[in-house]
């Protein structure tokens, strides 16, 4: 733990140092979120953080892109409206983290590129649409920050990432593993994306971490498939007292 804290302190020092050498010229060079001092928070175009909107990732280091998908869910729909609502709420976010000194818009060119096109009447087709859309967005090396959207979307995004960069690591924070084989007989659904991603060679299971696994399951063997993807592996069950006993799982795959 001490090593991790030390590493974090070093990172914060670097970020703070970087912030201290920022100049006005940087502000003029890079896109900036529209300030509440320039336009009231309730006004302006409802882009992510009220950043400029453009149709492509030309000249961008990072882009925000929406994935209005919810036809992969088994219970409550509605996440197709997630990108739109997230953009609306993001009007309250300011450009600088005063506590850490982080000021990403002083070193990165960022914009909102809208939503990826997808077929809301056909889930397998939507998966292909998302993968194709992200492949185009990432073709020039732009890093995508996706706004969803149900969990099914992670599968096609990982397909696009792996197509360009090869198998990647993953940090997944969730109550569920999303590694089921099928849901109601279907291979593609919100509870299966990481199983499909592993089968397609998108993930390097030696560098996958799942954090927060908890709650009820279908059976005692729910986590077995994931653990078997990496040998050796370690499943850690951590308990601590916060007034009541709660259980959290950390699921590591590593050598």
């Amino acid at each position: 733990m001490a090593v991790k804290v030390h590493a974090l302190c070093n990172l914060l020092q670097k970020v703070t140092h970087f912030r201290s050498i920022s100049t006005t010229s940087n502000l003029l060079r890079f896109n900036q979120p529209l300030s509440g001092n320039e336009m009231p928070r309730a006004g302006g175009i409802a882009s992510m953080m009220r950043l400029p909107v453009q149709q492509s990732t030309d000249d961008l280091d990072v882009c925000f892109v929406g994935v209005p998908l919810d036809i992969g869910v088994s219970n409550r729909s509605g996440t197709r409206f997630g990108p739109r609502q997230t953009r609306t709420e993001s009007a309250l976010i300011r450009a600088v983290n005063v506590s850490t000194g982080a000021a990403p818009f002083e070193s990165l060119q960022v914009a909102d590129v809208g939503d990826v096109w997808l077929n809301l009447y056909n889930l397998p087709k939507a998966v292909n649409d998302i993968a194709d859309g992200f492949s185009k967005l990432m073709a020039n090396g732009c890093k995508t920050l996706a706004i969803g959207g149900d969990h099914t979307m992670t599968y096609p995004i990982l397909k696009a990432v792996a197509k360009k960069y090869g198998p990647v690591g993953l940090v997944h924070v969730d109550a569920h593993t999303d590694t089921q084989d099928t849901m109601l007989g279907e291979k593609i659904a919100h509870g299966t994306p990481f199983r499909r991603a592993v089968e397609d060679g998108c993930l390097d299971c030696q560098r996958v971490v799942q954090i927060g696994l908890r709650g009820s399951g279908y059976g005692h063997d729910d986590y077995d498939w994931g653990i078997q993807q990496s040998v050796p592996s370690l499943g850690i069950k951590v308990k601590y007292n916060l007034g009541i006993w709660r259980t959290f799982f950390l699921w590591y795959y590593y050598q």
Side-chain angles (χ1 to χ4, degrees), residues 35-83:
S35 168
N37 292 321
E38 299 176 61
M39 169 66 70
R41 297 290 175 185
I45 297 174
S47 62
M48 189 65 186
M49 296 183 69
R50 303 201 299 179
L51 284 162
V53 177
Q54 62 184 66
Q55 298 300 312
S56 72
T57 57
D58 293 346
D59 300 319
L60 294 181
D61 299 305
V62 180
C63 72
F64 288 102
V65 54
V67 185
L69 179 73
D70 65 1
I71 58 175
V73 300
S74 58
N75 187 26
R76 181 180 297 173
S77 60
T79 52
R80 67 180 64 186
F81 300 110

Side-chain angles (χ1 to χ4, degrees), residues 235-254:
I236 303 179
K237 183 176 181 181
V238 181
K239 280 190 177 182
Y240 62 93
N241 197 316
L242 290 176
I244 59 173
W245 283 95
R246 300 183 65 183
T247 303
F248 294 82
F249 292 87
L250 304 180
W251 186 1
Y252 290 91
Y253 307 145
Y254 68 96

Side-chain angles (χ1 to χ4, degrees), residues 41 49 54 57 59 67 70-71 99 104 109 112 115 140 143 145 147-148 150 159 171 175-176 178 192 195 210 216 237:
R41 297 290 175 185
M49 296 183 69
Q54 62 184 66
T57 57
D59 300 319
V67 185
D70 65 1
I71 58 175
S99 297
Q109 188 69 303
D112 189 328
D115 295 342
N140 64 353
K143 303 299 186 293
L145 296 175
I147 314 166
D150 80 63
K159 288 181 67 173
V171 177
H176 310 112
D178 291 350
T192 69
R195 186 133 173 177
Q210 291 189 304
S216 58
K237 183 176 181 181

Side-chain angles (χ1 to χ4, degrees), residues 9-227:
C9 290
N10 286 338
L11 176 61
L12 292 177
Q13 289 175 355
K14 291 178 181 178
V15 171
T16 304
H17 173 68
F18 177 80
R19 174 68 181 87
S20 67
I21 63 173
S22 300
T23 63
T24 302
S25 62
N26 286 359
L27 300 181
L28 298 176
R29 175 185 173 191
F30 298 108
N31 294 336
Q32 298 294 310
L34 182 62
S35 168
N37 292 321
E38 299 176 61
M39 169 66 70
R41 297 290 175 185
I45 297 174
S47 62
M48 189 65 186
M49 296 183 69
R50 303 201 299 179
L51 284 162
V53 177
Q54 62 184 66
Q55 298 300 312
S56 72
T57 57
D58 293 346
D59 300 319
L60 294 181
D61 299 305
V62 180
C63 72
F64 288 102
V65 54
V67 185
L69 179 73
D70 65 1
I71 58 175
V73 300
S74 58
N75 187 26
R76 181 180 297 173
S77 60
T79 52
R80 67 180 64 186
F81 300 110
R84 181 178 298 177
Q85 189 61 34
T86 301
R87 288 184 172 104
T88 298
E89 299 299 330
S90 74
L92 298 174
I93 304 176
R94 296 174 176 84
V96 176
N97 186 319
V98 179
S99 297
T100 65
F105 302 103
E106 296 181 9
S107 60
L108 297 170
Q109 188 69 303
V110 188
D112 189 328
V113 296
D115 295 342
V116 67
W117 191 93
L118 55 90
N119 189 328
L120 278 177
Y121 297 103
N122 185 317
L123 184 57
K125 178 66 168 59
V127 165
N128 291 333
D129 293 335
I130 296 168
D132 290 343
F134 273 77
S135 289
K136 294 175 183 176
L137 292 172
M138 295 186 299
N140 64 353
C142 180
K143 303 299 186 293
T144 56
L145 296 175
I147 314 166
D150 80 63
H151 292 197
T152 312
M153 62 182 267
T154 55
Y155 170 45
I157 293 174
L158 285 170
K159 288 181 67 173
V161 172
K163 181 179 178 181
K164 183 171 180 62
Y165 299 104
V168 294
L170 175 74
V171 177
H172 175 217
V173 183
D174 195 353
H176 310 112
T177 64
D178 291 350
T179 56
Q180 293 185 59
D181 187 23
T182 62
M183 296 186 73
L184 297 176
E186 298 297 326
K187 289 282 191 177
I188 298 177
H190 70 137
T192 69
F194 298 124
R195 186 133 173 177
R196 301 289 86 82
V198 171
E199 292 172 348
D200 287 359
C202 302
L203 291 176
D204 174 3
C205 290
Q206 304 296 322
R207 297 188 293 126
V208 173
V209 181
Q210 291 189 304
I211 302 173
L213 306 182
R214 63 190 186 278
S216 58
Y218 291 99
H220 295 287
D221 59 351
D222 277 8
Y223 298 162
D224 289 357
W225 181 88
I227 293 173

